[in-house]
Amino acid sequence: MKNIISLCFLVACLPLIAVSQNIMPVPSSVQPGSGYLRIDSSFSLSIHGKKNQRIEAAVLRFLKRLSSQTGILLRIDGGRYNAAASLVIRYDTTPDSFPRLSEDESYSLHIAESGARLDAKTFAGVLYGLETFLQLVEVGADGFRARHVEIEDQPRFPWRGLLIDACRHWMPVEVIKRNLDGMAMVKMNVLHWHLSEDQGFRVESKKFPKLHELGSDGNYYTQREIREVITYAADRGIRVVPEFDMPGHTTAWFVGHPEIASGPGPYQIERKWGVFDPSMDPTSETTYKFLDTFIGEMAALFPDEYFHIGGDEVTGKQWDANPQIQEFKRKNNLNDNHALQVYFNRRVLAIVKKHGKKMIGWDEIFHPDLPKDIIVQSWRGQKFLAEGAKQGYQGLLSFGYYLDLIRPASYHYSIEPADSTIKSLSSDQQKKILGGESCMWAEYVTPENVDSRIWPRNAAIAERLWSVATTNDVDDMYRRLEITGKRLELLGLTHRTSYIQMLERIAGVQSIEPLKTFADVVEPVKGYERGRTRPHTSLTPMNRLVDAARPESDVARRFARLVEELIAGRISNDDKTLLVGFLKSWSDNDPKLQPMIAGNQLLDGIGPLSKDLSDAAAVGLRLVEIVSSSGKLANEDAISFKQVIERAEKPRAALLLMVVPSIKKLYTAVVQ
Ligand code: ACM
């Protein structure tokens, strides 16, 4: 009898596991229990460890968030050393001034009848345990509660970063801060801050004020603001690694300092997107003297031990056009421009080291002659990462994590830093892979919509870098991504609200209803396609539907699932009703949307796409009937349906109709 009961208990446990795992990223080990810790206004907390202001502040933020999550007014005075507290926090060491690479980030969180206990060695562990606790809180019949659970957790990779490009479009401090909050929630620990570009130089330099005064249109971070962000990040366990890209991507430096360029100038801030020719003169001592002073200043401003020098996409055209540079190459046996860049990197590395930092650069800096203590960040593919690791270089993966390319979360989720090439390396070589970074390049984002490009998809990348490699159930990832998206919005990110606000701007005084029905099923074109559509500069307003549209249509994903179930003959009646309802709403939408499109500049080019959606949905309705009756498509319909689908597949106004591939599947299922 007892065995039967425990067997039942085991079976009943399965849904419990799902309930307790609304956590993102998934912890290393979760053992759910069966009871709950009540969370009400009597919730109390105690801290055991050496008194520390940073930990106290983190706990205060935790209590405020718990309060905002539940609507319960909590006492936030804490109560140290209260052994009967609802949540007891213990830690061994107090935080250093700034977080460092490869600290112990583990924690254990046990919630039981007697209360909750969070144990961590370090500040980072405390922070992560508190984040996990917040993700366990749910509402039940008796109010808010957290399920009894035993969690042991630690990250798979020590370097889990997000790159924010503050250059192509300016990103004010508040954008950076709210994204740091989001990063902390998903346990990311490095902000890679891309601070100089052809289109802008974004940091105040006291040594060379012309850099920011002439290179930024007035949009730069003061040194006081930089320090404020670094402290804000450190409070959340996040390191800040600055990138000053060189010798290419440097036009904005040269507006004030043409003397370090390889061509005569004059230079202006670049307004277009792309890869440009201006690059530093790697043969001139003036350049190195300048960089010594500049890097010295920035090395003192940014406390992290790593300093990113970029190094990507040097065209070499200015070098080829400069007879002095050609002469230098001949004299020094530098056979090509890559060799010249390696020479430059060595000189810069010496400067970076002199100022107490370790150097990071993109793939292109990789050269077997460079010392082994540099980090190579791979944007071109895992094979470059593996190549570096084989030769003893530490590496970070960013290939596959480019958020600006508007790929689905499932794509990013599938990109494994330790892929088969890496797995074939020795375990020492494998340890060279420190982790990865997602990248938010800012050609097509502004402070208004940047959150919507980062979140929630970035949480899928955060999970890939934190959780064990076998955490790879895509459906469950999407389930938790939706929950995480809501939590992030509550934290202050704007990816959900900005969507509605941007649609409301487009709709003007009219109801957004038909526009939203349409916008819910479109996505911006993928990869680098957008750059090939309407000409864009850094001054082009970003107020079109493509800027509002989400990177990933949840409606289209749900629709795809329903279509698959219909075709497989296992759709429920409710789901069939839902499927038909979707198609009807799209098929009816065009006449409602066209009056808004007419005479609205912000909807230029949308008319035909709206018509395509309605036409394709009408075809979809017919196809659903045929599939449902196990019929086949009549030949005369086959041709016209195919034309409708093919027209609707074409991108227009830089947008794709994401439900069309599923309608095409219906077609394929019944065409003779
Ligand atoms: C890069 O995308 N050029 C780093």
Side-chain angles (χ1 to χ4, degrees):
M1 185 63 190
K2 195 158 173 232
N3 278 345
I4 290 172
I5 290 173
S6 57
L7 185 67
C8 291
F9 177 73
L10 271 180
V11 173
C13 240
L14 292 177
L16 303 188
I17 291 170
V19 169
S20 67
Q21 288 199 355
N22 294 326
I23 306 168
M24 192 161 202
V26 167
S28 323
S29 159
V30 179
Q31 299 294 331
S34 53
Y36 292 95
L37 173 74
R38 260 180 85 83
I39 299 195
D40 56 24
S41 54
S42 72
F43 185 87
S44 61
L45 185 149
S46 72
I47 312 172
H48 300 253
K50 196 161 164 248
K51 199 167 165 69
N52 178 270
Q53 189 276 331
R54 190 164 264 162
I55 289 185
E56 310 257 335
V59 165
L60 194 61
R61 284 199 310 277
F62 163 81
L63 286 170
K64 285 183 175 162
R65 280 172 61 196
L66 184 59
S67 193
S68 110
Q69 212 172 304
T70 56
I72 296 170
L73 306 175
L74 297 170
R75 283 184 20 239
I76 55 169
D77 56 350
R80 295 177 62 86
Y81 314 115
N82 167 10
S86 324
L87 172 60
V88 176
I89 301 168
R90 289 175 206 278
Y91 54 88
D92 294 345
T93 59
T94 52
D96 292 336
S97 305
F98 301 101
R100 298 165 70 79
L101 177 61
S102 297
E103 285 181 278
D104 187 317
E105 298 178 288
S106 68
Y107 67 93
S108 67
L109 177 63
H110 293 195
I111 305 180
E113 203 58 52
S114 53
R117 208 178 75 225
L118 165 59
D119 289 286
K121 294 201 176 61
T122 66
F123 176 52
V126 172
L127 289 174
Y128 297 140
L130 292 174
E131 291 294 344
T132 298
F133 187 95
L134 288 172
Q135 296 184 19
L136 287 164
V137 175
E138 58 179 38
V139 68
D142 297 330
F144 283 93
R145 62 194 194 178
R147 183 176 288 278
H148 292 172
V149 69
E150 296 201 1
I151 291 175
E152 305 295 330
D153 199 9
Q154 63 189 41
R156 182 171 168 221
F157 293 107
W159 190 305
R160 307 174 304 279
L162 166 65
L163 175 152
I164 298 182
D165 168 10
C167 301
R168 270 49 176 261
H169 281 99
W170 167 238
M171 297 293 158
V173 166
E174 72 261 22
V175 174
I176 305 299
K177 282 188 175 174
R178 68 186 189 231
N179 278 283
L180 286 165
D181 287 334
M183 289 169 69
M185 183 192 237
V186 297
K187 304 184 173 80
M188 274 189 158
N189 63 0
V190 182
L191 170 68
H192 173 161
W193 210 354
H194 187 79
L195 290 167
S196 68
E197 258 304 335
D198 297 304
Q199 294 86 358
F201 190 96
R202 302 297 182 198
V203 179
E204 174 190 24
S205 169
K206 296 190 196 285
K207 301 283 186 191
F208 300 107
K210 281 193 281 183
L211 283 173
H212 64 274
E213 284 172 4
L214 299 180
S216 75
D217 300 309
N219 289 325
Y220 62 88
Y221 306 106
T222 63
Q223 295 202 356
R224 190 186 56 75
E225 287 172 323
I226 296 276
R227 282 191 204 96
E228 181 186 319
V229 167
I230 291 169
T231 302
Y232 192 91
D235 285 347
R236 286 151 185 78
I238 297 171
R239 300 164 43 215
V240 176
V241 174
E243 178 186 353
F244 294 96
D245 204 345
M246 60 184 82
H249 287 275
T250 37
T251 309
W253 304 54
F254 303 155
V255 184
H257 290 279
E259 74 276 13
I260 60 168
S262 302
Y267 294 90
Q268 292 175 336
I269 296 174
E270 183 58 62
R271 304 295 176 195
K272 296 195 288 295
W273 309 139
V275 178
F276 300 95
D277 296 331
S279 46
M280 289 177 185
D281 184 347
T283 69
S284 148
E285 289 309 311
T286 307
T287 304
Y288 298 111
K289 194 159 169 288
F290 181 99
L291 287 177
D292 187 17
T293 306
F294 175 74
I295 291 174
E297 183 185 15
M298 292 302 134
L301 181 61
F302 290 91
D304 199 76
E305 63 180 322
Y306 286 92
F307 194 91
H308 203 303
I309 64 140
D312 57 322
E313 298 182 313
V314 181
T315 69
K317 286 195 189 147
Q318 270 201 337
W319 295 349
D320 294 340
N322 181 327
Q324 274 171 310
I325 293 178
Q326 290 309 304
E327 178 56 26
F328 182 92
K329 279 167 68 181
R330 263 191 302 278
K331 268 202 343 228
N332 291 279
N333 287 325
L334 299 167
N335 293 331
D336 54 24
N337 285 338
H338 182 57
L340 182 57
Q341 195 180 342
V342 172
Y343 168 83
F344 174 81
N345 291 341
R346 284 176 167 288
R347 297 287 307 265
V348 173
L349 175 64
I351 295 170
V352 168
K353 276 192 159 165
K354 173 182 154 192
H355 295 291
K357 303 291 180 182
K358 296 180 179 166
M359 189 168 99
I360 318 184
W362 297 104
D363 287 322
E364 287 96 324
I365 71 156
F366 173 66
H367 190 278
D369 287 351
L370 284 178
K372 299 287 193 274
D373 55 358
I374 62 168
I375 295 182
V376 179
Q377 182 168 10
S378 174
W379 68 284
R380 296 186 300 184
Q382 279 120 316
K383 70 171 190 287
F384 294 95
L385 198 64
E387 195 50 46
K390 218 186 276 181
Q391 304 198 30
Y393 292 91
Q394 295 189 311
L396 295 173
L397 185 66
S398 279
F399 167 82
Y401 299 145
Y402 270 33
L403 296 164
D404 56 311
L405 302 186
I406 317 286
R407 301 204 195 281
S410 55
Y411 166 76
H412 297 303
Y413 201 56
S414 75
I415 301 291
E416 169 53 55
D419 74 345
S420 52
T421 336
I422 306 277
K423 289 224 182 72
S424 68
L425 304 179
S426 75
S427 81
D428 272 358
Q429 287 168 334
Q430 288 187 37
K431 286 204 194 87
K432 300 286 176 193
I433 311 302
L434 296 175
E437 288 184 356
S438 51
C439 295
M440 186 65 258
W441 299 108
E443 281 89 342
Y444 299 104
V445 288
T446 66
E448 185 176 38
N449 72 349
V450 65
D451 293 7
S452 77
R453 272 56 186 150
I454 299 176
W455 305 105
R457 291 179 304 150
N458 189 48
I461 299 171
E463 178 158 291
R464 178 53 54 241
L465 297 172
W466 176 281
S467 305
V468 294
T470 47
T471 301
N472 53 19
D473 178 335
V474 172
D475 289 341
D476 193 58
M477 179 275 287
Y478 273 116
R479 183 185 65 76
R480 287 176 296 109
L481 198 64
E482 191 172 337
I483 298 166
T484 304
K486 290 179 191 164
R487 289 174 177 156
L488 286 161
E489 187 84 24
L490 188 64
L491 192 57
L493 274 305
T494 63
H495 51 296
R496 288 155 63 93
T497 44
S498 71
Y499 176 62
I500 300 299
Q501 281 170 7
M502 291 177 84
L503 293 184
E504 282 177 341
R505 173 196 289 140
I506 294 171
V509 297
Q510 301 180 59
S511 153
I512 66 165
E513 224 38 60
L515 182 62
K516 182 168 181 303
T517 300
F518 181 75
D520 278 351
V521 299
V522 298
E523 290 176 15
V525 286
K526 311 291 159 186
Y528 293 102
E529 203 49 47
R530 177 126 188 229
R532 299 188 194 105
T533 57
R534 194 163 78 101
H536 245 277
T537 73
S538 56
L539 304 173
T540 306
M542 306 279 290
N543 53 10
R544 303 294 176 102
L545 195 55
V546 62
D547 303 308
R550 291 167 164 148
E552 195 165 9
S553 161
D554 292 338
V555 173
R557 201 175 57 252
R558 280 176 73 193
F559 178 69
R561 169 63 65 89
L562 297 172
V563 164
E564 273 168 28
E565 285 175 1
L566 178 79
I567 292 173
R570 51 162 199 255
I571 195 165
S572 68
N573 283 340
D574 284 355
D575 280 352
K576 171 96 180 286
T577 307
L578 193 61
L579 172 64
V580 170
F582 272 140
L583 286 164
K584 280 216 174 95
S585 73
W586 303 328
S587 124
D588 294 346
N589 199 57
D590 184 54
K592 298 179 197 160
L593 185 55
Q594 288 297 347
M596 188 191 291
I597 295 172
N600 186 334
Q601 186 215 29
L602 302 184
L603 291 171
D604 265 358
I606 299 297
L609 199 63
S610 167
K611 177 84 168 47
D612 287 349
L613 174 64
S614 287
D615 290 351
V619 162
L621 282 168
R622 289 279 312 282
L623 292 167
V624 167
E625 280 171 24
I626 300 168
V627 173
S628 302
S629 62
S630 306
K632 282 284 169 194
L633 190 58
N635 282 335
E636 65 270 24
D637 285 340
I639 293 169
S640 67
F641 283 17
K642 188 159 180 252
Q643 281 170 349
V644 168
I645 291 168
E646 283 177 354
R647 200 168 56 236
E649 278 177 323
K650 289 205 190 85
R652 299 176 200 267
L655 287 167
L656 294 162
L657 287 173
M658 298 310 292
V659 295
V660 174
S662 297
I663 295 174
K664 196 174 184 176
K665 274 192 190 155
L666 291 169
Y667 173 87
T668 308
V670 294
V671 72
Q672 312 218 21

